[in-house]
Amino acid sequence: MGYRLAKHWHVVSLFIFLTTISIILVEYLESAQKSFLRDSLRSRAKDELSIIRSQLESLVVSDIYVANGLNTLIAVNPDVDLSGWDLIAASIMRKSNNIRLIGLAPDNVISHVYPMEGNERAIGLDYRTVPSQWRTIEKATELQEIYIAGPVELVQGGRALIARVPIYLDPPYNTRYWGMCSSVIDLGGLFKDAGIAAFEEKYNFAIRGVDSEGWNGDLFYGSQSTFDAALAVEIVNFPHGGWVLAASEKQDLLNHSEWYRVHTARLIGYPILLVLLLAFGQIYRLYVVANRRALQDELTKLPNRRYFMYTIETYFESAQSSQNDNVKFALLNVDLDKFKEVNDTYGHAAGDEVLIATAERATKALRSSDLVARIGGDEFLVLIPRVTNQSTVEIVVEKLKKAISQTPITFENHLIDIDVSVGCVLYQPEFNSVEDMLHAADSSMYEIKNAKSQTFD
């Protein structure tokens, strides 16, 4: 009898011990899961807020550079005929995402507005007589660059940003001020395209930085409590200044999560982990997509093909519509010789160093107004504005080749010689499109490359 009691006592003791260990383990898992959820929420909030920041930057910069074609048109040809203003402005607005209104103000007096309907009273307005607007005009002219003002309340309802772009007739010296171009960017449309509504379903969201003043600017969206309890903070960078974004946890989200942890921690623990992994995968996918839309080559930090094509199309259209020789420009196609041999001999890391060095040397050799872009692989394109004859272009080509090829690249105690083939073409009225110019520059480059090959043979 005593033996049986002793035997059952050991079983009961083992059951109590295992139950106690299980309870302790469940409590530990619940505590670890709670801590993990909080950390995951903070990480996810930061990643998703980073996407919002990237989207806002991309959308604003995209609209700015669409409108910048008008500034370029006036800068290179101050006497341009604006009788077709409605067509020009309408074309810009079609290509933009959220530009609602465009205005031109020679000598800071508004002369052209699009659309005109509902904005007739703006014609003839002297910005100097409106202190709230004159302050941002002065800021833009002081910076001599694009300045994002606002948000401001619109008479017709809603809020908007105003991109102030001072126009100078002698860039990059900027001593001859022509006037101001203002683009009104719809804030509601910008926030919608950036995905803020979906983001606010999960987080409290706030923005500060009126007139691109960052931390020093006033709060204009959300509440200060979001900043006080922020899970994540991101900086939206504009050409000058920017905004500060903050996201904090919604109380109802935490309560909802704790109910599941208390009642079904073991059943939903791994599914939650799977959901989080899928969410992170989706976030990463969106992040990659956002980067692809950027205007910069990741390796060399040069403008990429998308930015270059937009810029050269603007120059091409200006040259086509003008009889002024000063509007002419040249296109250079720069290709590295025997780049594959560098990769095969020294590895791709050496190839990357060669590309970076080529980009740096090309940029330093050219004027600040010239545009160098990497369009893929070992191929670069260069836009040379304000050249009127082939001899000037050839001088630039020789200077560029010398800057790139004169000094070898040092990589892991190896000296790697760089040689380039540069095809060039000067704008001529006979070209029907940018593609024609690109094809001509490409053909010129391959003729030079083939000539070198025959010489070596």
Side-chain angles (χ1 to χ4, degrees):
M1 183 71 176
Y3 174 76
R4 290 179 181 178
L5 289 174
K7 182 178 180 181
H8 287 298
W9 173 249
H10 287 301
V11 172
V12 171
S13 298
L14 181 60
F15 174 78
I16 294 173
F17 174 76
L18 292 177
T19 301
T20 303
I21 292 297
S22 297
I23 292 174
I24 293 174
L25 181 60
V26 168
E27 291 291 332
Y28 173 78
L29 288 175
E30 288 179 351
S31 176
Q33 196 167 18
K34 184 183 294 186
S35 176
F36 173 77
L37 182 60
R38 285 175 178 168
D39 290 342
S40 297
L41 186 62
R42 184 176 292 106
S43 176
R44 186 170 63 184
K46 184 172 180 59
D47 288 342
E48 294 185 15
L49 189 63
S50 176
I51 292 173
I52 297 294
R53 185 264 309 159
S54 177
Q55 290 283 60
L56 287 172
E57 287 179 346
S58 177
L59 290 166
V60 171
V61 169
S62 176
D63 278 350
I64 288 173
Y65 281 105
V66 165
N68 202 45
L70 179 59
N71 308 328
T72 303
L73 174 63
I74 294 174
V76 299
N77 186 12
D79 298 322
V80 63
D81 182 11
L82 291 176
S83 59
W85 161 251
D86 286 350
L87 293 176
I88 296 172
S91 175
I92 291 173
M93 292 186 69
R94 281 196 304 272
K95 295 176 182 178
S96 71
N97 296 299
N98 293 292
I99 293 180
R100 178 182 291 189
L101 182 144
I102 303 173
L104 280 181
D107 194 27
N108 299 322
V109 178
I110 298 177
S111 64
H112 292 79
V113 173
Y114 184 88
M116 179 64 75
E117 184 178 355
N119 300 295
E120 296 86 354
R121 291 184 298 175
I123 300 298
L125 174 68
D126 189 333
Y127 282 131
R128 287 168 285 240
T129 65
V130 185
S132 60
Q133 297 204 42
W134 180 241
R135 179 175 57 82
T136 61
I137 297 293
E138 285 187 310
K139 182 69 173 180
T141 52
E142 175 187 343
L143 295 171
Q144 298 186 354
E145 287 287 351
I146 299 169
Y147 177 63
I148 306 296
V152 298
E153 299 291 338
L154 298 176
V155 175
Q156 58 269 46
R159 293 195 292 176
L161 306 177
I162 303 180
R164 305 287 195 190
V165 186
I167 302 174
Y168 294 89
L169 303 182
D170 59 337
Y173 305 103
N174 296 345
T175 59
R176 298 172 56 199
Y177 177 67
W178 181 87
M180 188 66 59
C181 175
S182 299
S183 301
V184 177
I185 301 174
D186 178 44
L187 194 66
L190 177 66
F191 283 5
K192 179 181 178 182
D193 291 347
I196 289 177
F199 184 80
E200 287 187 301
E201 292 179 2
K202 294 182 284 186
Y203 307 101
N204 298 315
F205 180 70
I207 312 177
R208 70 180 318 119
V210 172
D211 289 340
S212 303
E213 292 294 331
W215 283 107
N216 297 323
D218 292 335
L219 184 79
F220 66 86
Y221 190 89
S223 65
Q224 180 60 38
S225 61
T226 300
F227 278 92
D228 296 338
L231 286 172
V233 174
E234 288 283 334
I235 306 297
V236 177
N237 292 303
F238 294 145
H240 283 280
W243 295 341
V244 183
L245 313 181
S248 66
E249 183 178 3
K250 282 189 174 181
Q251 187 62 35
D252 59 341
L253 178 64
L254 183 61
N255 291 338
H256 181 73
S257 299
E258 285 192 349
W259 185 89
Y260 279 109
R261 285 197 297 268
V262 170
H263 296 87
T264 55
R266 289 184 179 180
L267 294 177
I268 70 172
Y270 287 110
I272 284 179
L273 179 60
L274 179 61
V275 169
L276 289 175
L277 290 176
L278 292 175
F280 289 145
Q282 180 71 2
I283 291 169
Y284 179 75
R285 187 187 69 81
L286 293 174
Y287 179 78
V288 170
V289 171
N291 276 347
R292 288 176 182 171
R293 297 176 180 175
L295 302 174
Q296 190 180 65
D297 176 58
E298 182 177 358
L299 177 63
T300 63
K301 308 308 178 185
L302 291 176
N304 61 12
R305 182 182 183 88
R306 181 184 179 194
Y307 179 87
F308 186 88
M309 291 303 296
Y310 170 76
T311 304
I312 195 173
E313 284 173 0
T314 301
Y315 274 87
F316 190 87
E317 292 173 2
S318 298
Q320 276 190 321
S321 61
S322 173
Q323 301 299 322
N324 189 345
D325 283 345
N326 290 328
V327 182
K328 284 188 176 181
F329 63 96
L331 173 65
L332 310 185
N333 187 322
V334 182
D335 190 82
L336 296 178
D337 294 336
K338 300 181 180 180
F339 181 70
K340 183 176 183 301
E341 293 182 9
V342 173
N343 282 330
D344 293 343
T345 304
Y346 304 105
H348 289 282
D352 289 346
E353 288 296 322
V354 169
L355 292 173
I356 293 171
T358 301
E360 291 175 350
R361 294 178 181 184
T363 303
K364 291 178 180 179
L366 298 171
R367 301 171 300 179
S368 59
S369 59
D370 300 334
L371 176 64
V372 185
R374 182 188 176 209
I375 62 169
D378 60 343
E379 188 174 359
F380 299 81
L381 291 179
V382 181
L383 175 65
I384 310 293
R386 301 192 303 277
V387 291
T388 58
N389 56 75
Q390 187 66 28
S391 60
T392 302
V393 177
E394 291 173 357
I395 292 172
V396 174
V397 170
E398 290 304 318
K399 181 180 179 182
L400 182 63
K401 289 167 61 178
K402 182 178 179 181
I404 295 174
S405 304
Q406 189 172 29
T407 306
I409 298 297
T410 302
F411 177 77
E412 295 182 352
N413 299 322
H414 297 288
L415 294 178
I416 303 175
D417 291 321
I418 305 178
D419 196 12
V420 293
S421 296
V422 182
C424 62
V425 61
L426 182 67
Y427 170 81
Q428 298 296 336
E430 291 77 16
F431 289 117
N432 295 319
S433 65
V434 171
E435 286 70 22
D436 289 347
M437 285 194 69
L438 290 170
H439 180 72
D442 196 51
S443 298
S444 174
M445 182 272 293
Y446 276 109
E447 287 179 6
I448 294 170
K449 189 178 286 288
N450 290 335
K452 285 183 179 180
S453 176
Q454 293 174 4
T455 300
F456 290 140
D457 291 343

